[in-house]
Amino acid sequence: MDSAGDVPIIDLSKLRGTSSERSAAVQDVGRVCQEKGFFQVINHGISTDILRNALAAAAAFFSLPMDDRSALASDDITLPVRYVTSSSALDGGEVKVHRHVLKQYSYPLEKWIGNWPAKPSQYREKMGKYAREVRNKLVSDLMEAITESLGLGRYYLSSQMENGFEMMLLSLYPPPPVSSGSDDLRCGDHTDYTFISVILSTHEGLEELDRVTGAWLAAPHRRGAEGGSPPPPPSLTVHVGDCLEAMSNGRYRAAVHRVLWGRGDTDTSRVSITSLTNWAMDESVEVAKELVDDRHPTMYKGSTLRDYTRFLLAGRASGSTFLESLKIN
Ligand SMILES: O=C(O)CCC(=O)C(=O)O
Ligand SMILES: [Fe+2]
């Protein structure tokens, strides 16, 4: 299996190859989910145009006047489309914006796309194409490979996936204010509440925690505009999330990741799109009973997306993460 630096690369065309290619690729998927929890994908079949258009649409949205964007702001975290800004006060009373986020529900697409921002004009079309392709060409195949690699069979989660839920987080990380010094952590270390998340971004900045060495690894970044004919597509990074860690009874580990932006003298903004795969709001994610035996007792309590939302609403009073709160000692 290839890797870029210390980040493994999964060739998705192998999952659609001969049966021996497929079983080798399924084993690779299992191994990286177990050992790392993060990887990048190539030969997924999503065109460079679709990827670049989605990033351009996200950037165009963030270029809208603040009034247009803040019209979508709300404290109600259950809304299907919501604009959020995270910031902190600097010493001189100045406010540092870490990032702006547009959250939008995206699966089933037909159900939600009408709620998406109507401006800029091609936003829904370009973002909709990306959402559909990520789902059909990447997430579905990977989820099948993942359950197969756990010995549960390729279609083990098909119905939960079909009846499930997907969310996109579009993030804008503005350039740092001059006075920010070296404080360039924009999104602190965390895991995602999801089965898998897929990240596309305009710039580097995403970092993964290597659980074995304790080192932070920079996810390699390709913009997709460099030479070559056709040019190689932009990088797509995949993370194992909390739901997969729990369902697999801890066999696969959620990726701890963070975003640093602004190191050096950059005056550009970074834009990313994170796609999160979940089950329906009230469908409980439980440890797969097939993965429990005397040597592997059930390690996690069941949880739903609604439980997670409630946890966020309550604030992290205990200081622990949602995944930690699910662990059975
Ligand atoms: O901006 C990125 O590259 C990742 C953002 C992220 O981790 C998240 O929104 O959960
Ligand atoms: Fe994340």
Side-chain angles (χ1 to χ4, degrees):
M1 189 185 11
D2 288 334
S3 67
D6 293 308
V7 175
I9 292 181
I10 296 290
D11 181 347
L12 283 192
S13 68
K14 297 282 188 340
L15 287 177
R16 302 166 196 142
T18 62
S19 75
S20 67
E21 277 173 340
R22 179 173 168 85
S23 24
V26 165
Q27 271 190 16
D28 284 348
V29 168
R31 199 162 61 237
V32 298
C33 289
Q34 188 158 16
E35 291 173 2
K36 302 272 190 189
F38 53 84
F39 53 94
Q40 294 194 329
V41 285
I42 55 166
N43 297 332
H44 37 67
I46 308 177
S47 78
T48 298
D49 276 354
I50 288 181
L51 299 173
R52 290 176 59 79
N53 286 345
L55 286 172
F61 170 78
F62 287 118
S63 302
L64 291 175
M66 200 44 168
D67 281 356
D68 287 333
R69 289 183 269 156
S70 50
L72 300 169
S74 167
D75 289 337
D76 180 356
I77 72 171
T78 62
L79 284 181
V81 175
R82 200 165 78 95
Y83 191 75
V84 193
T85 297
S86 72
S87 57
S88 61
L90 293 174
D91 282 350
E94 206 180 332
V95 172
K96 174 178 176 177
V97 173
H98 298 281
R99 69 166 166 162
H100 300 263
V101 178
L102 179 73
K103 181 189 91 173
Q104 59 187 22
Y105 292 178
S106 54
Y107 181 86
L109 189 60
E110 314 69 51
K111 180 168 174 186
W112 303 115
I113 196 166
N115 295 291
W116 288 8
K119 287 196 266 185
S121 62
Q122 292 188 316
Y123 177 85
R124 288 183 186 169
E125 184 203 325
K126 290 181 172 173
M127 204 56 79
K129 265 191 188 152
Y130 175 67
R132 190 173 281 122
E133 297 266 274
V134 166
R135 175 81 190 186
N136 295 342
K137 296 201 166 145
L138 216 160
V139 170
S140 300
D141 284 5
L142 273 176
M143 287 299 294
E144 287 180 9
I146 283 169
T147 54
E148 197 175 344
S149 71
L150 286 165
L152 301 170
R154 183 168 174 177
Y155 303 111
Y156 185 75
L157 297 183
S158 294
S159 81
Q160 286 95 332
M161 285 288 294
E162 204 175 311
N163 299 316
F165 192 81
E166 196 165 281
M167 202 183 304
M168 296 168 102
L169 301 176
L170 278 55
S171 300
L172 173 83
Y173 302 83
V178 178
S179 53
S180 72
S182 61
D183 172 23
D184 48 10
L185 186 63
R186 300 305 186 88
C187 169
D189 41 329
H190 67 284
T191 57
D192 295 334
Y193 187 78
T194 180
F195 277 84
I196 54 174
S197 47
V198 179
I199 296 160
L200 171 68
S201 63
T202 53
H203 295 82
E204 67 288 351
L206 176 63
E207 296 196 344
E208 317 290 345
L209 182 67
D210 188 317
R211 291 177 181 275
V212 178
T213 62
W216 284 102
L217 308 174
H221 184 264
R222 263 192 335 259
R223 267 166 191 265
E226 301 91 343
S229 171
S235 308
L236 283 168
T237 304
V238 179
H239 290 151
V240 170
D242 296 353
C243 299
L244 181 50
E245 176 166 329
M247 190 276 282
S248 70
N249 206 16
R251 255 208 244 178
Y252 294 172
R253 299 293 302 279
V256 178
H257 55 284
R258 66 181 185 184
V259 177
L260 298 178
W261 182 241
R263 191 164 279 176
D265 56 348
T266 179
D267 58 0
T268 22
S269 297
R270 176 180 186 275
V271 172
S272 69
I273 306 174
T274 303
S275 307
L276 301 151
T277 305
N278 284 85
W279 291 355
M281 207 37 115
D282 293 303
E283 175 127 30
S284 185
V285 178
E286 307 279 340
V287 170
K289 58 184 184 322
E290 295 84 345
L291 302 176
V292 175
D293 58 32
D294 290 346
R295 288 194 304 122
H296 305 95
T298 304
M299 282 172 57
Y300 301 84
K301 288 182 268 189
S303 71
T304 63
L305 186 53
R306 196 178 304 280
D307 295 336
Y308 175 65
T309 317
R310 289 201 181 113
F311 180 87
L312 291 184
L313 277 172
R316 286 164 54 164
S318 64
S320 80
T321 65
F322 187 63
L323 186 59
E324 280 160 10
S325 77
L326 298 180
K327 282 190 180 150
I328 300 169
N329 295 313

